[in-house]
């Protein structure tokens, strides 16, 4: 049971970190984005804050009576959730909190990989009238794959030893 939960924990944490990091890196890599440096500073902050402090803040946010997440749920007409009473809800709180901690690293790694792709590759795809999906699938993803593979490996080893958060 413990091994299975650990494997699921690792896979889901890596998936959350990579997907959120990839979306934010793609957004930050957009040409002409105003205030890009401010966004980068704000998005790197979760990585700079110690895990223990982040865990305490998120624990307060998930508080059954006074937590902001339950307050929002109540405003939307739902019942408050006792986040730490069940296995699934406790797992989800840990996943959300650890996702918050892990996306900045993945975002920075992927942003570096995106910025290393030569612009002429994209210009050639534009001349060939390739769709956005084709450009992503045939240019962006393959050229980011080596660095992304290393980042996923580092993130997986980090998720495996993430006992302080729980």
């Amino acid at each position: 049971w413990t091994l299975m939960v650990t494997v699921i924990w690792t896979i889901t944490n890596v998936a959350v970190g990579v997907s959120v990091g990839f979306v934010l890196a793609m957004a930050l890599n957009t040409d002409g984005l105003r205030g890009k440096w401010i966004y980068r500073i704000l998005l790197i902050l979760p990585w700079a804050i110690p895990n223990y402090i982040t865990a305490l803040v998120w624990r307060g946010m998930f508080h059954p009576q006074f937590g902001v997440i339950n307050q929002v749920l109540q405003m939307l007409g739902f019942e408050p959730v006792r986040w730490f009473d069940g296995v699934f809800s406790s797992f989800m709180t840990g996943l959300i909190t650890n996702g918050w901690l892990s996306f900045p690293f993945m975002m920075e790694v992927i942003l570096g990989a995106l910025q290393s792709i030569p612009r002429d590759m994209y210009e050639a795809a534009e001349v060939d009238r390739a769709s956005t999906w084709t450009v992503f699938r045939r240019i962006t993803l393959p050229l980011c794959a080596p660095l992304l593979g290393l980042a996923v490996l580092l993130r997986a080893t980090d998720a495996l030893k993430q006992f302080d958060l729980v």
Side-chain angles (χ1 to χ4, degrees), residues 113-133:
L114 289 172
Q115 290 176 348
S116 70
I117 298 173
R119 285 279 158 221
D120 58 345
M121 302 282 282
Y122 292 115
E123 291 169 3
E126 187 178 331
V127 168
D128 291 341
R129 293 191 198 129
S131 68
T132 306
W133 172 247

Side-chain angles (χ1 to χ4, degrees), residues 25-42:
M26 293 287 288
L28 287 175
N29 198 43
T30 304
D31 290 332
L33 180 66
R34 296 171 55 108
K36 191 181 298 191
W37 63 275
I38 294 171
Y39 297 130
R40 286 184 75 170
I41 290 172
L42 291 175

Side-chain angles (χ1 to χ4, degrees), residues 10-11 19 27 33 40 47 56 58 61 67 81 92 96 100 102 105-106 119 122 124 132 141 150 159 161:
T10 303
I11 291 169
S19 54
L33 180 66
R40 286 184 75 170
W47 198 31
L56 288 176
W58 279 92
M61 289 173 61
V81 177
M92 291 308 294
I96 291 168
W100 171 260
S102 68
F105 171 73
M106 296 304 291
R119 285 279 158 221
Y122 292 115
T132 306
L141 208 51
L150 179 62
K161 62 181 184 72

Side-chain angles (χ1 to χ4, degrees), residues 140-161:
T140 305
L141 208 51
L143 293 176
C144 287
L147 197 54
L148 189 60
L150 179 62
V152 165
L153 180 66
L154 289 172
R155 182 66 202 115
T157 56
D158 189 42
L160 279 171
K161 62 181 184 72

Side-chain angles (χ1 to χ4, degrees), residues 14-31:
V14 170
V16 167
V18 169
S19 54
V20 173
F22 213 107
V23 167
L24 291 173
M26 293 287 288
L28 287 175
N29 198 43
T30 304
D31 290 332

Side-chain angles (χ1 to χ4, degrees), residues 46-113:
W47 198 31
I49 297 171
N51 290 0
Y52 183 72
I53 302 299
T54 301
L56 288 176
V57 169
W58 279 92
R59 184 174 140 212
M61 289 173 61
F62 283 114
H63 190 275
Q65 185 177 2
F66 305 111
V68 69
I69 295 173
N70 275 336
Q71 296 294 325
V72 170
L73 287 175
Q74 287 176 336
M75 286 174 24
L76 296 174
F78 296 102
E79 292 294 318
V81 177
R82 299 193 62 78
W83 293 102
F84 302 110
D85 287 355
V87 174
F88 181 74
S89 58
S90 293
F91 185 87
M92 291 308 294
T93 60
L95 180 63
I96 291 168
T97 305
N98 204 28
W100 171 260
L101 286 168
S102 68
F103 83 83
F105 171 73
M106 296 304 291
M107 179 191 70
E108 287 297 321
V109 169
I110 294 168
L111 186 59

